[in-house]
Coordinates of all heavy atoms in Angstrom, one line a residue:
M1 N -7.4 2.1 25.0 CA -7.9 2.1 23.6 C -9.1 1.1 23.6 O -8.9 0.0 24.0 CB -6.8 1.8 22.6 CG -7.2 1.8 21.2 SD -6.0 1.4 20.0 CE -4.5 1.9 20.6
C2 N -10.2 1.5 23.0 CA -11.3 0.5 22.9 C -11.1 -0.5 21.8 O -10.2 -0.3 20.9 CB -12.6 1.3 22.8 SG -12.9 2.0 21.2
E3 N -11.9 -1.5 21.8 CA -11.8 -2.6 20.8 C -12.0 -2.1 19.4 O -11.3 -2.5 18.5 CB -12.8 -3.6 21.2 CG -12.7 -4.9 20.3 CD -13.7 -6.0 20.7 OE1 -14.0 -6.1 21.9 OE2 -14.1 -6.7 19.8
R4 N -12.9 -1.2 19.2 CA -13.2 -0.7 17.9 C -12.0 0.1 17.3 O -11.7 0.0 16.2 CB -14.5 0.2 17.9 CG -14.8 0.8 16.6 CD -16.0 1.7 16.7 NE -16.2 2.4 15.4 CZ -17.3 2.3 14.7 NH1 -18.3 1.6 15.1 NH2 -17.4 3.0 13.6
E5 N -11.4 1.0 18.1 CA -10.2 1.7 17.7 C -9.1 0.8 17.3 O -8.4 1.0 16.3 CB -9.8 2.7 18.8 CG -10.7 3.9 19.0 CD -10.3 4.7 20.2 OE1 -9.4 4.3 20.9 OE2 -10.9 5.8 20.3
A6 N -8.9 -0.3 18.1 CA -7.8 -1.2 17.8 C -8.1 -2.0 16.5 O -7.2 -2.2 15.7 CB -7.7 -2.2 19.0
K7 N -9.4 -2.3 16.3 CA -9.8 -3.0 15.1 C -9.6 -2.1 13.9 O -9.0 -2.5 12.8 CB -11.2 -3.4 15.1 CG -11.7 -4.2 14.0 CD -13.1 -4.7 14.1 CE -13.6 -5.5 12.9 NZ -14.9 -5.9 13.1
D8 N -9.9 -0.8 14.0 CA -9.7 0.2 12.9 C -8.2 0.4 12.6 O -7.8 0.5 11.5 CB -10.3 1.5 13.3 CG -11.9 1.5 13.2 OD1 -12.4 0.6 12.7 OD2 -12.5 2.5 13.8
K9 N -7.4 0.4 13.7 CA -6.0 0.6 13.5 C -5.4 -0.6 12.7 O -4.6 -0.5 11.8 CB -5.3 0.7 14.9 CG -3.8 1.1 14.8 CD -3.3 1.3 16.2 CE -1.8 1.7 16.1 NZ -1.2 1.9 17.4
R10 N -5.8 -1.8 13.1 CA -5.4 -3.0 12.4 C -5.8 -3.0 10.9 O -5.0 -3.4 10.1 CB -5.9 -4.3 13.1 CG -5.2 -4.7 14.4 CD -5.6 -6.1 14.8 NE -7.0 -6.3 14.9 CZ -7.8 -6.1 16.0 NH1 -7.2 -5.6 17.1 NH2 -9.0 -6.4 16.0
G11 N -7.0 -2.5 10.7 CA -7.5 -2.4 9.3 C -6.7 -1.5 8.5 O -6.4 -1.8 7.3
R12 N -6.4 -0.3 9.1 CA -5.6 0.7 8.3 C -4.2 0.1 8.1 O -3.6 0.3 7.0 CB -5.5 2.0 9.1 CG -6.8 2.8 9.1 CD -6.6 4.2 9.7 NE -6.2 4.1 11.0 CZ -6.9 4.1 12.1 NH1 -8.3 4.0 12.0 NH2 -6.4 4.1 13.3
R13 N -3.6 -0.6 9.0 CA -2.3 -1.1 8.9 C -2.3 -2.2 7.7 O -1.4 -2.2 6.9 CB -1.8 -1.8 10.2 CG -0.4 -2.4 10.0 CD 0.2 -3.0 11.3 NE -0.1 -2.2 12.5 CZ -0.7 -2.7 13.6 NH1 -1.2 -4.0 13.6 NH2 -0.9 -1.9 14.6
R14 N -3.3 -3.0 7.7 CA -3.5 -4.0 6.7 C -3.6 -3.4 5.3 O -3.0 -3.8 4.3 CB -4.7 -4.9 7.0 CG -4.9 -6.0 5.9 CD -5.8 -7.1 6.4 NE -6.3 -8.0 5.4 CZ -5.6 -8.9 4.9 NH1 -4.3 -9.1 5.2 NH2 -6.1 -9.7 3.9
V15 N -4.4 -2.3 5.2 CA -4.5 -1.6 3.9 C -3.2 -1.1 3.4 O -2.8 -1.2 2.3 CB -5.6 -0.5 4.0 CG1 -5.5 0.4 2.8 CG2 -7.0 -1.1 4.2
R16 N -2.4 -0.5 4.3 CA -1.1 0.1 4.0 C -0.2 -1.1 3.5 O 0.5 -0.9 2.5 CB -0.4 0.8 5.2 CG -1.0 2.2 5.4 CD -0.1 3.0 6.4 NE 0.1 2.3 7.6 CZ -0.6 2.3 8.7 NH1 -1.7 3.1 8.7 NH2 -0.3 1.7 9.8
E17 N -0.2 -2.2 4.2 CA 0.7 -3.3 3.8 C 0.3 -3.9 2.4 O 1.1 -4.1 1.6 CB 0.6 -4.4 4.9 CG 1.3 -4.1 6.2 CD 1.0 -5.1 7.3 OE1 0.4 -6.1 7.0 OE2 1.5 -4.8 8.4
L18 N -1.0 -4.0 2.2 CA -1.5 -4.5 0.9 C -1.2 -3.5 -0.2 O -0.9 -4.0 -1.3 CB -3.0 -4.8 1.0 CG -3.4 -6.0 1.9 CD1 -4.9 -6.1 2.0 CD2 -2.8 -7.3 1.3
N19 N -1.3 -2.2 0.1 CA -0.9 -1.2 -1.0 C 0.6 -1.4 -1.3 O 0.9 -1.3 -2.5 CB -1.2 0.2 -0.5 CG -2.7 0.5 -0.5 OD1 -3.5 -0.2 -1.2 ND2 -3.1 1.5 0.2
Q20 N 1.4 -1.6 -0.4 CA 2.8 -1.7 -0.6 C 3.1 -3.0 -1.4 O 3.9 -2.9 -2.4 CB 3.6 -1.7 0.7 CG 3.7 -0.4 1.4 CD 4.4 -0.5 2.7 OE1 4.6 -1.6 3.3 NE2 4.8 0.6 3.3
Q21 N 2.4 -4.1 -1.1 CA 2.6 -5.3 -1.8 C 2.1 -5.1 -3.3 O 2.7 -5.6 -4.2 CB 1.9 -6.4 -1.1 CG 2.5 -6.9 0.2 CD 1.7 -7.9 0.9 OE1 0.7 -8.5 0.3 NE2 2.0 -8.2 2.1
S22 N 1.0 -4.4 -3.4 CA 0.5 -4.2 -4.8 C 1.4 -3.4 -5.6 O 1.6 -3.8 -6.8 CB -0.9 -3.5 -4.7 OG -1.4 -3.1 -5.9
E23 N 2.0 -2.4 -5.1 CA 3.0 -1.6 -5.8 C 4.2 -2.5 -6.3 O 4.7 -2.4 -7.4 CB 3.5 -0.4 -5.0 CG 2.4 0.7 -4.9 CD 2.9 1.8 -4.0 OE1 4.1 2.0 -3.8 OE2 2.0 2.5 -3.4
S24 N 4.7 -3.3 -5.4 CA 5.8 -4.2 -5.7 C 5.5 -5.2 -6.8 O 6.2 -5.4 -7.7 CB 6.3 -5.0 -4.4 OG 6.7 -4.1 -3.4
V25 N 4.3 -5.8 -6.7 CA 3.9 -6.7 -7.7 C 3.7 -6.1 -9.0 O 4.1 -6.6 -10.1 CB 2.6 -7.5 -7.2 CG1 2.0 -8.3 -8.3 CG2 2.9 -8.3 -6.0
T26 N 3.1 -4.9 -9.0 CA 2.9 -4.2 -10.3 C 4.2 -3.9 -11.0 O 4.4 -4.0 -12.2 CB 2.1 -2.9 -10.0 OG1 0.8 -3.2 -9.5 CG2 1.9 -2.1 -11.3
T27 N 5.2 -3.4 -10.2 CA 6.5 -3.2 -10.7 C 7.2 -4.4 -11.4 O 7.7 -4.4 -12.5 CB 7.5 -2.6 -9.6 OG1 6.9 -1.4 -9.1 CG2 8.8 -2.3 -10.2
V28 N 7.1 -5.5 -10.7 CA 7.6 -6.8 -11.2 C 6.9 -7.2 -12.4 O 7.5 -7.7 -13.4 CB 7.6 -7.9 -10.1 CG1 7.9 -9.2 -10.6 CG2 8.5 -7.5 -8.9
R29 N 5.6 -7.1 -12.4 CA 4.7 -7.5 -13.5 C 5.1 -6.7 -14.8 O 5.2 -7.2 -15.9 CB 3.3 -7.4 -13.2 CG 2.3 -8.0 -14.2 CD 0.9 -7.8 -13.8 NE 0.6 -8.5 -12.5 CZ 0.1 -7.9 -11.5 NH1 -0.2 -6.6 -11.5 NH2 -0.1 -8.6 -10.4
R30 N 5.2 -5.4 -14.6 CA 5.5 -4.5 -15.7 C 6.9 -4.8 -16.3 O 7.1 -4.8 -17.5 CB 5.4 -3.1 -15.4 CG 3.9 -2.7 -15.2 CD 3.8 -1.2 -14.9 NE 2.4 -0.8 -14.7 CZ 2.0 0.3 -14.3 NH1 2.9 1.3 -14.0 NH2 0.7 0.5 -14.2
E31 N 7.8 -5.1 -15.4 CA 9.2 -5.4 -15.9 C 9.2 -6.7 -16.7 O 9.8 -6.9 -17.7 CB 10.2 -5.5 -14.7 CG 11.6 -5.8 -15.1 CD 12.1 -4.8 -16.1 OE1 11.8 -3.6 -16.1 OE2 12.9 -5.2 -17.0
F32 N 8.4 -7.7 -16.2 CA 8.3 -9.0 -16.9 C 7.7 -8.7 -18.3 O 8.2 -9.3 -19.3 CB 7.4 -10.0 -16.1 CG 7.0 -11.2 -16.9 CD1 7.9 -12.2 -17.1 CD2 5.7 -11.3 -17.5 CE1 7.6 -13.3 -17.9 CE2 5.4 -12.4 -18.2 CZ 6.3 -13.4 -18.4
L33 N 6.6 -8.0 -18.4 CA 6.0 -7.7 -19.7 C 7.0 -7.0 -20.6 O 7.1 -7.4 -21.8 CB 4.8 -6.8 -19.5 CG 3.5 -7.5 -18.9 CD1 2.5 -6.4 -18.6 CD2 3.0 -8.5 -19.8
R34 N 7.7 -6.0 -20.1 CA 8.6 -5.2 -20.9 C 9.8 -6.0 -21.4 O 10.2 -6.0 -22.5 CB 9.1 -4.0 -20.1 CG 9.8 -2.9 -20.8 CD 10.1 -1.7 -20.0 NE 10.1 -1.8 -18.6 CZ 9.0 -1.3 -17.9 NH1 8.0 -0.8 -18.4 NH2 9.1 -1.4 -16.5
S35 N 10.4 -6.8 -20.5 CA 11.7 -7.5 -20.8 C 11.4 -8.9 -21.4 O 12.3 -9.3 -22.1 CB 12.5 -7.6 -19.5 OG 11.9 -8.5 -18.6
T36 N 10.3 -9.5 -21.2 CA 10.1 -10.8 -21.7 C 9.1 -10.9 -22.8 O 9.5 -11.3 -23.9 CB 9.6 -11.7 -20.5 OG1 10.5 -11.7 -19.5 CG2 9.5 -13.2 -21.0
L37 N 7.9 -10.5 -22.6 CA 6.9 -10.6 -23.6 C 7.0 -9.6 -24.7 O 6.9 -9.9 -25.9 CB 5.5 -10.5 -23.0 CG 5.1 -11.7 -22.1 CD1 3.7 -11.5 -21.5 CD2 5.2 -13.0 -22.8
L38 N 7.2 -8.3 -24.4 CA 7.2 -7.3 -25.4 C 8.6 -7.2 -26.1 O 8.7 -6.6 -27.2 CB 6.9 -5.9 -24.8 CG 5.5 -5.8 -24.2 CD1 5.3 -4.4 -23.5 CD2 4.5 -5.9 -25.4
A39 N 9.6 -7.9 -25.6 CA 10.9 -7.8 -26.2 C 11.0 -8.9 -27.3 O 12.0 -8.9 -28.1 CB 12.0 -8.1 -25.1
R40 N 10.1 -9.8 -27.4 CA 10.1 -10.9 -28.4 C 9.8 -10.3 -29.8 O 9.1 -9.3 -29.9 CB 9.0 -11.9 -28.0 CG 9.3 -12.6 -26.8 CD 8.2 -13.6 -26.4 NE 8.0 -14.6 -27.5 CZ 7.6 -15.8 -27.2 NH1 7.3 -16.2 -26.0 NH2 7.5 -16.7 -28.2
K41 N 10.4 -11.0 -30.8 CA 10.1 -10.6 -32.1 C 8.7 -11.0 -32.6 O 8.1 -10.4 -33.3 CB 11.2 -11.2 -33.1 CG 12.5 -10.5 -32.9 CD 13.5 -11.0 -34.0 CE 14.8 -10.3 -33.8 NZ 15.8 -10.7 -34.9
T42 N 8.3 -12.2 -32.1 CA 7.0 -12.6 -32.4 C 6.3 -12.9 -31.0 O 6.9 -13.4 -30.1 CB 7.0 -13.9 -33.2 OG1 7.7 -14.9 -32.5 CG2 7.6 -13.7 -34.6
P43 N 5.0 -12.6 -31.0 CA 4.3 -12.8 -29.7 C 4.0 -14.3 -29.4 O 4.1 -15.1 -30.4 CB 2.9 -12.1 -29.9 CG 2.8 -12.0 -31.4 CD 4.1 -12.0 -32.0
P44 N 3.8 -14.7 -28.2 CA 3.5 -16.1 -27.9 C 2.3 -16.5 -28.6 O 1.4 -15.7 -29.0 CB 3.3 -16.1 -26.4 CG 3.9 -14.9 -25.9 CD 3.9 -13.9 -27.0
K45 N 2.1 -17.8 -28.9 CA 0.9 -18.3 -29.6 C -0.3 -18.0 -28.8 O -0.3 -18.0 -27.6 CB 1.0 -19.9 -29.8 CG 2.1 -20.3 -30.8 CD 2.1 -21.8 -31.0 CE 3.2 -22.1 -31.9 NZ 3.3 -23.6 -32.2
M46 N -1.4 -17.7 -29.5 CA -2.7 -17.5 -28.9 C -2.8 -16.2 -28.1 O -3.8 -15.9 -27.5 CB -3.1 -18.6 -28.0 CG -3.3 -20.0 -28.7 SD -4.6 -19.9 -29.9 CE -6.0 -19.7 -29.0
V47 N -1.8 -15.3 -28.1 CA -1.8 -14.1 -27.4 C -2.9 -13.1 -27.9 O -3.6 -12.5 -27.2 CB -0.4 -13.4 -27.2 CG1 0.0 -12.7 -28.6 CG2 -0.4 -12.4 -26.1
A48 N -3.0 -13.1 -29.2 CA -4.0 -12.2 -29.8 C -5.4 -12.7 -29.4 O -6.3 -11.8 -29.1 CB -3.9 -12.3 -31.4
A49 N -5.7 -13.9 -29.4 CA -7.0 -14.4 -29.0 C -7.2 -14.1 -27.5 O -8.4 -13.8 -27.1 CB -7.1 -15.9 -29.2
C50 N -6.2 -14.3 -26.7 CA -6.3 -14.0 -25.3 C -6.6 -12.5 -25.0 O -7.5 -12.2 -24.2 CB -5.1 -14.4 -24.5 SG -5.1 -14.1 -22.8
V51 N -5.9 -11.6 -25.7 CA -6.2 -10.2 -25.6 C -7.6 -9.8 -26.1 O -8.3 -9.1 -25.4 CB -5.1 -9.4 -26.4 CG1 -5.4 -7.9 -26.5 CG2 -3.7 -9.6 -25.7
A52 N -8.0 -10.4 -27.2 CA -9.3 -10.1 -27.7 C -10.4 -10.6 -26.8 O -11.4 -9.8 -26.5 CB -9.5 -10.7 -29.1
A53 N -10.2 -11.8 -26.2 CA -11.2 -12.3 -25.3 C -11.3 -11.5 -24.0 O -12.4 -11.2 -23.5 CB -10.9 -13.7 -25.0
T54 N -10.1 -11.0 -23.5 CA -10.1 -10.2 -22.3 C -10.8 -8.9 -22.5 O -11.6 -8.4 -21.7 CB -8.6 -10.0 -21.9 OG1 -8.0 -11.3 -21.6 CG2 -8.5 -9.2 -20.6
L55 N -10.5 -8.2 -23.7 CA -11.1 -6.9 -24.0 C -12.6 -7.1 -24.3 O -13.4 -6.2 -23.9 CB -10.4 -6.3 -25.1 CG -9.0 -5.8 -24.8 CD1 -8.3 -5.2 -26.1 CD2 -9.0 -4.8 -23.7
A56 N -13.0 -8.2 -24.8 CA -14.4 -8.4 -25.1 C -15.2 -8.6 -23.7 O -16.3 -8.1 -23.6 CB -14.7 -9.7 -25.9
R57 N -14.6 -9.2 -22.8 CA -15.2 -9.4 -21.4 C -15.2 -8.1 -20.7 O -16.1 -7.8 -19.9 CB -14.4 -10.4 -20.6 CG -15.0 -11.8 -20.6 CD -14.3 -12.7 -19.6 NE -12.9 -12.6 -19.5 CZ -12.0 -13.3 -20.2 NH1 -12.5 -14.1 -21.2 NH2 -10.7 -13.2 -20.1
D58 N -14.1 -7.3 -20.8 CA -14.0 -6.1 -20.0 C -13.4 -4.9 -20.8 O -12.2 -4.6 -20.7 CB -13.2 -6.3 -18.7 CG -13.2 -5.2 -17.8 OD1 -13.9 -4.2 -18.0 OD2 -12.5 -5.3 -16.7
P59 N -14.2 -4.3 -21.7 CA -13.7 -3.3 -22.6 C -13.1 -2.0 -21.8 O -12.4 -1.3 -22.3 CB -14.8 -2.9 -23.5 CG -16.0 -3.4 -22.8 CD -15.6 -4.5 -21.9
G60 N -13.5 -1.9 -20.6 CA -13.1 -0.7 -19.8 C -11.6 -0.8 -19.5 O -11.0 0.2 -19.1
L61 N -11.0 -1.9 -19.7 CA -9.5 -2.0 -19.5 C -8.7 -1.1 -20.3 O -7.6 -0.7 -19.9 CB -9.0 -3.5 -19.7 CG -9.5 -4.5 -18.8 CD1 -9.1 -5.9 -19.3 CD2 -8.9 -4.3 -17.4
M62 N -9.3 -0.7 -21.5 CA -8.6 0.2 -22.3 C -8.7 1.7 -21.9 O -8.0 2.5 -22.4 CB -9.1 0.1 -23.8 CG -8.8 -1.2 -24.4 SD -7.1 -1.5 -24.6 CE -6.6 -0.5 -25.9
S63 N -9.6 2.0 -21.0 CA -9.8 3.4 -20.6 C -9.8 3.6 -19.1 O -10.0 4.7 -18.6 CB -11.2 3.8 -21.1 OG -12.2 3.0 -20.6
E64 N -9.5 2.6 -18.3 CA -9.5 2.7 -16.8 C -8.3 3.6 -16.4 O -7.5 4.0 -17.2 CB -9.4 1.4 -16.1 CG -10.7 0.6 -16.2 CD -10.6 -0.7 -15.5 OE1 -9.6 -1.1 -15.0 OE2 -11.7 -1.4 -15.5
Y65 N -8.3 3.9 -15.1 CA -7.3 4.8 -14.5 C -5.9 4.5 -15.0 O -5.4 3.5 -14.8 CB -7.4 4.6 -13.0 CG -6.5 5.5 -12.3 CD1 -6.7 6.9 -12.2 CD2 -5.4 5.0 -11.6 CE1 -5.9 7.7 -11.5 CE2 -4.5 5.9 -10.9 CZ -4.8 7.2 -10.9 OH -3.9 8.0 -10.2
K66 N -5.3 5.5 -15.7 CA -4.0 5.5 -16.2 C -3.6 4.3 -17.2 O -2.5 4.0 -17.3 CB -3.0 5.4 -15.0 CG -3.0 6.7 -14.2 CD -1.8 6.7 -13.2 CE -1.8 8.0 -12.4 NZ -0.7 8.1 -11.6
A67 N -4.6 3.8 -17.8 CA -4.4 2.7 -18.8 C -3.5 3.1 -19.9 O -2.6 2.4 -20.3 CB -5.7 2.1 -19.3
A68 N -3.8 4.3 -20.5 CA -3.0 4.8 -21.6 C -1.6 5.1 -21.2 O -0.7 4.8 -22.0 CB -3.7 6.0 -22.2
E69 N -1.4 5.7 -20.1 CA -0.1 6.0 -19.6 C 0.7 4.8 -19.4 O 1.9 4.7 -19.7 CB -0.1 6.9 -18.4 CG -0.6 8.3 -18.6 CD -2.1 8.4 -18.6 OE1 -2.8 7.4 -18.5 OE2 -2.6 9.6 -18.6
S70 N 0.1 3.7 -18.8 CA 0.8 2.5 -18.6 C 1.2 1.8 -19.9 O 2.3 1.3 -20.0 CB -0.1 1.5 -17.8 OG -0.4 2.0 -16.5
L71 N 0.3 1.9 -20.9 CA 0.6 1.3 -22.2 C 1.8 2.1 -22.8 O 2.7 1.4 -23.3 CB -0.6 1.4 -23.1 CG -0.3 0.9 -24.5 CD1 0.0 -0.5 -24.5 CD2 -1.5 1.2 -25.4
G72 N 1.8 3.4 -22.7 CA 2.9 4.1 -23.2 C 4.2 3.8 -22.5 O 5.3 3.6 -23.2
E73 N 4.2 3.6 -21.2 CA 5.4 3.2 -20.5 C 5.9 1.8 -20.9 O 7.1 1.6 -21.1 CB 5.1 3.2 -19.0 CG 6.2 2.8 -18.1 CD 5.8 2.6 -16.7 OE1 4.8 3.3 -16.2 OE2 6.4 1.8 -16.0
L74 N 5.0 0.9 -21.0 CA 5.4 -0.5 -21.4 C 6.0 -0.5 -22.8 O 6.9 -1.3 -23.1 CB 4.1 -1.4 -21.4 CG 3.7 -1.8 -20.0 CD1 2.4 -2.6 -20.1 CD2 4.7 -2.6 -19.3
L75 N 5.5 0.4 -23.7 CA 6.0 0.4 -25.1 C 7.2 1.3 -25.2 O 7.8 1.4 -26.3 CB 4.9 0.8 -26.0 CG 3.7 -0.2 -26.1 CD1 2.6 0.4 -27.0 CD2 4.2 -1.5 -26.6
G76 N 7.6 2.0 -24.1 CA 8.8 2.8 -24.2 C 8.6 4.2 -24.5 O 9.5 4.9 -24.9
F77 N 7.3 4.7 -24.5 CA 7.0 6.1 -24.7 C 6.8 6.8 -23.4 O 5.7 7.0 -23.0 CB 5.8 6.2 -25.6 CG 5.9 5.5 -26.9 CD1 4.9 4.5 -27.2 CD2 6.9 5.8 -27.8 CE1 5.0 3.8 -28.4 CE2 7.0 5.1 -29.0 CZ 6.0 4.1 -29.3
M78 N 7.9 7.2 -22.8 CA 7.7 7.9 -21.5 C 7.1 9.3 -21.7 O 7.4 10.0 -22.7 CB 9.1 8.1 -20.8 CG 9.8 6.8 -20.6 SD 8.8 5.6 -19.6 CE 8.9 6.3 -18.0
G79 N 6.2 9.6 -20.8 CA 5.5 10.9 -20.9 C 4.4 10.9 -22.0 O 4.0 11.9 -22.5
Y80 N 3.9 9.7 -22.4 CA 2.9 9.6 -23.5 C 1.5 9.8 -22.9 O 1.1 9.1 -22.0 CB 3.0 8.2 -24.1 CG 1.9 7.9 -25.1 CD1 1.9 8.5 -26.3 CD2 1.0 6.9 -24.7 CE1 0.9 8.2 -27.2 CE2 0.0 6.6 -25.7 CZ 0.0 7.2 -26.9 OH -1.0 6.9 -27.8
Y81 N 0.8 10.8 -23.4 CA -0.5 11.1 -23.0 C -1.4 11.1 -24.3 O -1.4 12.1 -25.0 CB -0.6 12.4 -22.3 CG 0.2 12.4 -21.0 CD1 1.5 12.9 -20.9 CD2 -0.3 11.7 -19.9 CE1 2.2 12.9 -19.8 CE2 0.4 11.7 -18.7 CZ 1.7 12.2 -18.7 OH 2.4 12.2 -17.5
P82 N -2.1 10.1 -24.6 CA -2.8 10.0 -25.9 C -3.9 11.1 -26.0 O -4.1 11.5 -27.2 CB -3.5 8.6 -25.8 CG -3.4 8.2 -24.4 CD -2.3 8.9 -23.8
A83 N -4.4 11.6 -25.0 CA -5.4 12.7 -25.2 C -4.8 13.9 -25.8 O -5.4 14.7 -26.5 CB -6.0 13.0 -23.8
M84 N -3.5 14.1 -25.5 CA -2.8 15.3 -26.1 C -2.4 15.1 -27.5 O -2.1 16.0 -28.2 CB -1.5 15.6 -25.3 CG -1.8 15.9 -23.8 SD -0.3 16.1 -22.8 CE 0.5 17.4 -23.6
C85 N -2.5 13.8 -28.0 CA -2.1 13.5 -29.4 C -3.2 13.5 -30.3 O -3.0 13.3 -31.5 CB -1.4 12.1 -29.4 SG 0.1 12.1 -28.4
Q86 N -4.4 13.6 -29.9 CA -5.6 13.6 -30.8 C -5.7 14.9 -31.6 O -5.3 15.9 -31.1 CB -6.9 13.4 -30.0 CG -6.9 12.1 -29.3 CD -8.2 12.0 -28.4 OE1 -8.9 12.9 -28.2 NE2 -8.4 10.8 -27.9
A87 N -6.2 14.7 -32.8 CA -6.3 15.8 -33.7 C -7.5 16.7 -33.2 O -8.5 16.2 -32.7 CB -6.6 15.3 -35.1
E88 N -7.3 18.0 -33.3 CA -8.4 18.9 -32.9 C -9.3 19.2 -34.0 O -9.1 19.1 -35.1 CB -7.7 20.2 -32.4 CG -6.9 20.0 -31.2 CD -6.3 21.3 -30.6 OE1 -6.8 22.3 -31.0 OE2 -5.4 21.2 -29.9

C-alpha cells in the first residue's frame, strides 16, 4: 500500500470516529437541554439576551438543516414538520 492510500485510509477512519463522537455529544446535549433547561418553570437569567444575540449573529440557525425538527423534538412534538403546518 502506498503512502497516499495509507494517509487516505487514516483520514477516513478519523472522519468516522469524529462523526460517532459528534452523534454522542449531540445526544447528550439535547438530553441536557430537554431535562435541565427546558424543564424549568422559569428560564435562567439572561437566556433571552443570549438567544437574541446568537440569532442576531447567525440568523441561519433558525433554518439550517433539520433545525425545525430538532426544535420540535426538544419541545416534545415528535414528528413535527413546520412546513406542513403552514396555512395554504
Side-chain angles (χ1 to χ4, degrees):
M1 184 180 327
C2 74
E3 185 177 329
R4 181 182 170 121
E5 289 174 349
K7 185 177 179 181
D8 289 346
K9 186 175 181 179
R10 285 192 306 271
R12 288 190 301 272
R13 183 180 313 127
R14 179 164 169 74
V15 167
R16 282 193 306 270
E17 290 171 4
L18 290 174
N19 285 343
Q20 288 175 345
Q21 290 175 9
S22 174
E23 288 177 22
S24 297
V25 169
T26 298
T27 302
V28 171
R29 187 180 301 122
R30 286 181 181 174
E31 182 56 36
F32 169 77
L33 287 171
R34 193 175 15 260
S35 65
T36 305
L37 294 180
L38 295 175
R40 294 175 63 149
K41 288 186 178 186
T42 57
K45 292 182 180 182
M46 299 298 293
V47 74
C50 179
V51 168
T54 300
L55 291 175
R57 258 192 321 273
D58 189 2
L61 291 173
M62 294 299 286
S63 60
E64 287 181 356
Y65 182 72
K66 294 191 178 183
E69 289 85 352
S70 296
L71 177 62
E73 178 188 333
L74 286 172
L75 296 176
F77 303 121
M78 299 307 285
Y80 173 71
Y81 298 100
M84 296 173 63
C85 298
Q86 295 176 350
E88 293 181 18

